[in-house]
Amino acid sequence: AEQIWIEPKPRAANQSDWYPKPIESVVADVVRFNATDLIVVRADDDKESSIPAQRVIWIEPQQRKAVEEEMVALFNDGQYRESLKSLPEVLETRPPIWRQQAITMMAASAASRCDRHAVALELVAQLDRRSLPPMVSAGLPIQWANRRSEASVVTAATKRLNDNSLLVQ
């Protein structure tokens, strides 16, 4: 089972908006997660239920293989180059597709943060071959700060300006 945080449903017209609606948190097994839906079986229920993918804020796996746990820990500690090196080994453990996508997007971010911009763009291009859940797309390695980019960033980006992948563009 995974811990899942979900954006609250929109308010009904007759509901007060004085207080914000709380984020929902559920424990459930993920059956499928794609660009449109998250299909889960909740821990307290035996049937599948569907949640719109755009309402999924985050999914935290309750169990990870040791190599994936190490990769995430390295990333969280700012050891991006070391984290990135673990990607092939983590993917060899064959986590579910949605987790492979999230892990690969984290690796793209790690690559970008350790100045391996061509690798970051290639990982994003590979991910963009399938439609991605918004939660995964939110991890794109985008430089939001308005500052001058290093030459290596500009060079890598310029080579991929006309890429088939919209996310790479």
Side-chain angles (χ1 to χ4, degrees), residues 16 24 53 60 62 65 80 86 89-90 102 108 113 120 133 151:
S16 168
E24 298 175 45
E60 186 65 32
Q62 297 298 302
K65 303 268 191 213
Y80 304 118
S86 301
E89 189 178 353
V90 171
R113 291 177 185 194

Side-chain angles (χ1 to χ4, degrees), residues 2-83:
E2 323 296 352
Q3 181 75 40
I4 305 166
W5 288 270
I6 305 164
E7 173 187 307
K9 291 180 182 175
R11 292 185 190 283
N14 63 349
Q15 288 180 315
S16 168
D17 62 354
W18 184 258
Y19 294 106
K21 292 178 81 172
I23 292 172
E24 298 175 45
S25 177
V26 298
V27 175
D29 290 319
V30 174
V31 176
R32 185 177 67 250
F33 189 27
N34 58 35
T36 57
D37 302 295
L38 170 65
I39 308 298
V40 297
V41 175
R42 295 178 190 239
D44 59 352
D45 198 352
D46 223 10
K47 60 182 182 206
E48 289 185 359
S49 59
S50 176
I51 301 163
Q54 71 268 16
R55 289 186 51 219
V56 178
I57 298 170
W58 188 249
I59 302 175
E60 186 65 32
Q62 297 298 302
Q63 292 186 335
R64 290 183 169 127
K65 303 268 191 213
V67 66
E68 182 181 346
E69 198 69 52
E70 181 182 344
M71 180 183 179
V72 171
L74 287 168
F75 181 86
N76 290 337
D77 288 343
Q79 297 180 44
Y80 304 118
R81 190 171 302 279
E82 294 305 313
S83 175

